[in-house]
Amino acid sequence: MTTLIDLAELGSVGGFFALREGPPIGSGAVPFAEIYAARPAPRPAPPRSAPTASPEGPGDDPLAFRVDKVGRRLGAPEDRIAVSVAQLGLAARLWSVALGSAALYGAVPDLDPTLLHWDADGTSPDDLWLTDLRTLPGDPGTLRDVVQHGHLAPLAAALRGRYRISARLLWGNAGSALAGAVRELDGWAARTGRPDVRERAAALAAALFDHPDLRGTGTLDGTAFRRRSCCLYYRCPSGGVCGDCCFERPPQRSSPGASSG
């Protein structure tokens, strides 16, 4: 497929929609295929009673590096909170790039894990690099294969192999990230006079939510989404509930070992 995807225009939708093309330059980016293939033994996850020194770089385990970095930035008292927030950010990046491309151009970049590189120490636009920009059809089935099956499922497996984290929570994050991408595209379409983009994004999202992994994550009504799980951000010292949270207000904090997913 030869449909042109304008990465500069795509990135103008918002920071999560940014994607670099070509070999990663001056970064610690590695292909997602390596990240998903690495399965270190699970590590204990004690409460974070004090900040730890920052590692020099992602090293051999970019996922663990990212979780630690997020945890230190948030002051997260538990590893699973940092895992959740880190995964939510990645899910948002992946859905945004793919859904944005499909809504704007009717095509999606091939985000094959061997082609898509991630710098666990980077931020957009320098965290995601696609070494070869190939395009695929922008239909719901292809989007699901590219993001949900190609990345979110192996990402969840890799994280759950390292940490004690609920699969329901991770899929709730995936649903929240997808709904967030729809809202960003809706706002961009309103600003630029592109109702066609709004309509395609909404139709694609509705089809994507009609899958067992995402169907029960929450309710999407237009651009409004109410999830049925919690990302746990409220448990951070300065945290609160997100706009789509299942809670109206932060629940009373329980002991670090209690479950809220």
Side-chain angles (χ1 to χ4, degrees):
M1 188 174 180
T2 57
T3 303
L4 176 65
I5 294 177
D6 184 340
L7 295 182
E9 182 181 42
L10 178 63
S12 73
V13 178
F16 283 112
F17 293 77
L19 178 65
R20 297 286 197 190
E21 180 186 5
I25 300 173
S27 74
V30 296
F32 274 101
E34 292 184 11
I35 296 169
Y36 300 151
R39 298 293 176 87
R43 302 179 303 171
R48 294 171 175 268
S49 56
T52 56
S54 175
E56 289 296 324
D60 295 330
D61 196 342
L63 278 180
F65 173 88
R66 183 60 159 241
V67 168
D68 183 69
K69 180 177 180 176
V70 169
R72 286 185 287 103
R73 187 180 76 238
L74 298 177
E78 307 167 61
D79 273 350
R80 69 191 181 116
I81 301 169
V83 173
S84 174
V85 175
Q87 183 261 359
L88 178 57
L90 262 179
R93 291 289 278 119
L94 294 162
W95 276 132
S96 296
V97 167
L99 183 68
S101 297
L104 267 70
Y105 311 110
V108 60
D110 184 354
L111 303 180
D112 187 289
T114 62
L115 301 175
L116 186 65
H117 289 56
W118 178 51
D119 183 354
D121 199 22
T123 56
S124 62
D126 295 323
D127 56 336
L128 292 186
W129 293 76
L130 192 59
T131 56
D132 185 7
L133 182 56
R134 310 171 187 171
T135 55
L136 301 170
D139 60 274
T142 301
L143 270 168
R144 192 185 311 284
D145 286 341
V146 167
V147 178
Q148 183 176 332
H149 299 320
H151 285 279
L152 298 182
L155 175 61
L159 287 169
R160 298 192 73 213
R162 292 163 170 78
Y163 304 95
R164 295 180 61 185
I165 186 79
S166 163
R168 177 173 176 266
L169 185 156
L170 295 179
W171 283 114
N173 285 351
S176 176
L178 175 56
V182 174
R183 285 193 299 275
E184 288 295 309
L185 285 163
D186 187 84
W188 183 88
R191 294 192 301 272
T192 58
R194 292 288 304 275
D196 57 313
V197 170
R198 172 189 292 131
E199 292 166 5
R200 279 197 295 272
L204 288 165
L208 290 167
F209 270 110
D210 189 22
H211 182 277
D213 288 336
L214 294 173
R215 193 179 299 135
T217 61
T219 303
L220 182 66
D221 183 7
T223 60
F225 183 71
R226 175 68 68 180
R227 61 184 291 174
R228 296 191 176 98
S229 62
C230 173
C231 72
L232 305 178
Y233 174 65
Y234 78 91
R235 295 179 65 86
C236 295
S238 59
V241 295
C242 303
D244 62 359
C245 188
C246 61
F247 298 123
E248 294 292 337
R249 60 184 61 84
Q252 182 177 357
R253 286 185 174 87
S254 56
S255 62
S259 174
S260 300

